[in-house]
Amino acid sequence: MVSIDLDRAAVDFPIFDAKTRSLKKAVLGRAGGRIGTESKVPIIEALRDITISLRKGERVALVGHNGAGKTTLLRLMSGIYEPTRGRASIKGKVAPVFDLAVGMDPEISGLENILIRGLFLGMTRKQMDARVDDIAEFTELGDYLQMPLRTYSTGMRVRLALGVVTSIDPEILLLDEGIGAVDAEFMAKARNRLNELVARSGILVFASHSDEFLAELCDTAIWMEHGTVKEHGPLREVLAHYKGRDVLAEIEAR
Amino acid sequence: MTTGDDRAEDVASVDPFATDPSNPRSWKRAFRDIGLGWRQRALWGYLGWQDIKQRYRRSVLGPLWISISMGVIATAMGILYGALFHEDIKVFLPYVATGLLIWNFINGCILEGSEVFIANEGLIKFLPAPITLHVYRLVWRQTLFFLHNLVIWLLLVIIFPQPLSWTVLLAVPAFLVLGINGAWITVLSGILATRFRDIPPIIASVTQLLFFMTPIVWSYERLKSNPLAAYVELNPVMHFVEILREPLLGQEIVWRHWIVVGAITVVGSAVALVCLRNYRSRVAYWV
């Protein structure tokens, strides 16, 4: 049973090096979470009162301004952050694709990086050895996989990371923005593969500012604002409220 | 929604990344972190090797440099301090070298231990994994360094034969005990240092002091006539060095050191476990 259940979950960051004085007043700006001052250490309430239930087959777009809590929510869903208040119950094999540079060693070859990434995502060495050919084919990197990762362009790294993640059959796939750095042709291929993957199993949560990409992969959406869920519903409605116009209709009209 | 605890347990045994919604400060979660970390030994085993190969990438001799630099330092220090204290070089050189390579392991665990989570900030924030994974990786890396340095010990006992006997087998459990202590100290100082960033510099200066207070480049036996020498026994590191150095040099086994080390292992592990239970889930927030 693949599921994500968040029940009034909150993520509070203590900011140890901030000067308390300058943060005396609780600030509620356009960007960022709420800054609380009840305790001695200033706290940023990156997320609060998040109640979300996701089930198998759901393909969720995550939209919102910078600092609205999209990445933090993805990290909460991946189990990296355990909620400071409330509950989080995540069941299923999670594969997060957040920062593509992390967990990748620039000095070692693409193949070795594939192995390490796979091991981090809970695969065994044998399982990864069996998948390497498939990943090599999908990424179209060929002999380049023998080269150290520092010689790769950003797009090539994205290919590698996507190749690993889509080959391991995760039950919960969490994608953060920033995977737009690949060329159009590969993007089409990645979309197909992501679509297949999502159709085959599990849950997709995808944070992005690209409406087209969201329209392609997702059918529902969560709109984050100031660390809370502002709206959760069908993609078309949420996106229309968020942007103030019917974005999906525009995309379809093209 | 989730039901009882037994069901959460069931899911946990199948799925390494399942989180049950109960209180994050639980023994079950602390021990699960330790267990999951151990299960990922293919990963930290690989990463530990990478760390070493990384350091010597593109160098011709590679990790052999670990052994060479150790050999140079041990020989120079052995000769220098041997001359200063009028010691017999045949005895003193293996003594200093063996002490140094044990110290290197202890020092590595303590020094890098306090930085273990800070240094792995990227991995902790971007990939869900048990935090003990980084601890296993560090102790494994230090073990590999130790094994490289052990070559120097082997060379020296061949050149300067020592009265080795069956007690040399005690080196294996002694090293295991050192590894366990390296692990708990890494967990404890790693978590504390992630919260209080003043701890790494404090630890760095304390370990420097400890080096001179531990009988490595000087002999405890020689100074025993001095009444102040008894205070050396208060230095816990001394007992750790002794339990491994005695079997490696064929010296008489002094069980007092084993008792002290055993007590430290039990108490230290217990404190580290409590720390792991209470603050494990905070590490991702603090890094």
Side-chain angles (χ1 to χ4, degrees):
Chain A
M1 226 309 255
V2 182
S3 67
I4 296 175
D5 286 296
L6 305 176
D7 181 19
R8 281 165 288 129
V11 168
D12 302 324
F13 288 105
I15 305 302
F16 297 116
D17 48 3
K19 286 204 177 67
T20 323
R21 204 170 33 155
S22 60
L23 294 170
K24 276 248 163 79
K25 282 183 184 167
V27 188
L28 192 64
R30 185 174 159 80
R34 199 170 61 176
I35 301 167
T37 49
E38 287 92 50
S39 63
K40 258 191 288 176
V41 177
I43 282 174
I44 291 183
E45 292 182 318
L47 294 178
R48 69 199 137 87
D49 212 17
I50 305 284
T51 302
I52 297 172
S53 253
L54 300 179
R55 289 290 172 271
K56 194 173 171 176
E58 291 202 43
R59 310 196 279 165
V60 189
L62 210 50
V63 295
H65 294 291
N66 296 119
K70 299 190 294 293
T71 303
T72 312
L73 181 60
L74 286 176
R75 288 188 191 162
L76 182 68
M77 288 175 168
S78 74
I80 291 171
Y81 294 141
E82 291 176 26
T84 31
R85 284 170 280 131
R87 292 162 156 239
S89 166
I90 295 108
K91 289 181 196 139
K93 196 165 71 183
V94 181
V97 184
F98 299 159
D99 190 320
L100 295 158
V102 172
M104 294 268 186
D105 188 333
E107 290 300 323
I108 62 179
S109 73
L111 281 176
E112 287 172 300
N113 271 299
I114 290 177
L115 176 63
I116 290 180
R117 203 22 99 100
L119 289 173
F120 257 114
L121 296 175
M123 295 278 109
T124 65
R125 240 182 130 136
K126 256 191 207 141
Q127 287 173 317
M128 283 317 288
D129 286 340
R131 284 167 166 80
V132 156
D133 288 337
D134 174 48
I135 296 169
E137 199 198 336
F138 169 68
T139 56
E140 296 169 352
L141 290 170
D143 290 341
Y144 226 91
L145 285 175
Q146 313 284 348
M147 296 287 130
L149 197 75
R150 69 186 140 82
T151 62
Y152 287 35
S153 69
T154 314
M156 288 161 86
R157 288 176 197 211
V158 176
R159 285 176 174 225
L160 199 74
L162 278 179
V164 177
V165 162
T166 54
S167 74
I168 63 163
D169 274 340
E171 291 164 317
I172 299 172
L173 185 59
L174 306 173
L175 296 176
D176 206 350
E177 50 209 330
I179 61 167
V182 289
D183 52 57
E185 196 189 325
F186 184 78
M187 190 59 103
K189 201 168 151 186
R191 281 179 197 200
N192 286 339
R193 204 153 143 140
L194 285 174
N195 270 322
E196 279 172 32
L197 182 67
V198 173
R200 225 175 19 242
S201 67
I203 298 171
L204 169 76
V205 184
F206 182 25
S208 176
H209 292 291
S210 154
D211 300 329
E212 283 173 48
F213 212 164
L214 289 175
E216 178 109 24
L217 286 175
C218 307
D219 43 29
T220 59
I222 294 171
W223 174 9
M224 296 296 295
E225 198 169 81
H226 301 309
T228 54
V229 177
K230 177 132 180 174
E231 196 179 343
H232 183 182
L235 181 68
R236 178 180 290 263
E237 282 175 30
V238 175
L239 219 48
H241 293 156
Y242 171 56
K243 297 266 170 158
R245 58 197 159 83
D246 194 347
V247 187
L248 287 198
E250 287 173 24
I251 293 170
E252 280 156 17
R254 259 178 240 168
Chain B
M1 293 308 296
T2 330
T3 53
D5 264 359
D6 47 348
R7 191 172 146 201
E9 181 75 88
D10 185 44
V11 172
S13 63
V14 182
D15 182 351
F17 295 122
T19 53
D20 64 68
S22 57
N23 183 10
R25 291 186 176 192
S26 76
W27 288 112
K28 203 170 81 186
R29 286 181 169 215
F31 283 112
R32 201 177 68 192
D33 196 287
I34 295 172
L36 287 179
W38 181 251
R39 276 222 316 239
Q40 284 190 291
R41 53 192 175 276
L43 176 59
W44 52 257
Y46 191 81
L47 289 171
W49 262 118
Q50 282 298 339
D51 289 339
I52 293 207
K53 286 204 286 188
Q54 186 68 52
R55 218 166 286 197
Y56 299 95
R57 191 157 288 266
R58 289 164 69 182
S59 89
V60 180
L61 294 178
L64 201 58
W65 277 116
I66 302 169
S67 317
I68 294 173
S69 63
M70 180 72 198
V72 171
I73 293 171
T75 311
M77 281 204 162
I79 293 172
L80 172 66
Y81 284 90
L84 280 175
F85 294 118
H86 308 291
E87 298 274 3
D88 178 8
I89 204 75
K90 289 196 211 84
V91 181
F92 201 62
L93 195 52
Y95 173 85
V96 170
T98 311
L100 262 183
L101 70 95
I102 299 166
W103 167 258
N104 265 15
F105 178 82
I106 297 171
N107 188 41
C109 287
I110 297 177
L111 270 189
E112 291 182 23
S114 59
E115 303 262 10
V116 66
F117 302 124
I118 301 171
N120 285 305
E121 178 186 350
L123 290 178
I124 291 172
K125 275 193 180 161
F126 289 95
L127 289 169
I131 66 164
T132 51
L133 175 88
H134 310 287
V135 178
Y136 287 119
R137 173 184 181 180
L138 186 150
V139 176
W140 173 237
R141 177 171 68 233
Q142 292 302 329
T143 304
L144 291 173
F145 275 125
F146 179 80
L147 293 176
H148 277 95
N149 288 335
L150 211 54
V151 175
I152 301 301
W153 166 80
L154 195 66
L155 282 176
L156 283 172
V157 291
I158 291 170
I159 300 169
F160 307 109
Q162 301 291 313
L164 293 180
S165 68
W166 66 269
T167 56
V168 77
L169 294 175
L170 270 178
V172 177
F175 185 74
L176 278 178
V177 170
L178 251 66
I180 293 169
N181 282 277
W184 75 249
I185 220 163
T186 301
V187 169
L188 187 64
S189 66
I191 291 177
L192 290 178
T194 308
R195 170 66 184 81
F196 302 101
R197 300 297 169 100
D198 297 291
I199 288 178
I202 294 174
I203 288 182
S205 48
V206 169
T207 47
Q208 219 158 25
L209 185 65
L210 277 177
F211 174 77
F212 293 104
M213 285 166 52
T214 309
I216 296 167
V217 293
W218 51 271
S219 162
Y220 181 43
E221 288 300 313
R222 288 273 296 211
L223 295 182
K224 256 191 172 159
S225 51
N226 189 329
L228 285 176
Y231 287 105
V232 172
E233 296 268 348
L234 293 176
N235 172 10
V237 178
M238 174 219 178
H239 302 282
F240 285 96
V241 171
E242 290 293 354
I243 61 163
L244 188 48
R245 184 169 54 194
E246 282 163 0
L248 284 179
L249 293 178
Q251 291 169 337
E252 189 196 340
I253 306 296
V254 181
W255 295 104
R256 184 180 74 249
H257 299 310
W258 280 87
I259 294 166
V260 174
V261 165
I264 292 174
T265 310
V266 171
V267 174
S269 305
V271 174
L273 274 176
V274 172
C275 192
L276 186 68
R277 169 189 180 271
N278 287 348
Y279 303 111
R280 179 194 49 80
S281 64
R282 300 301 297 158
V283 169
Y285 286 85
W286 289 342
V287 288

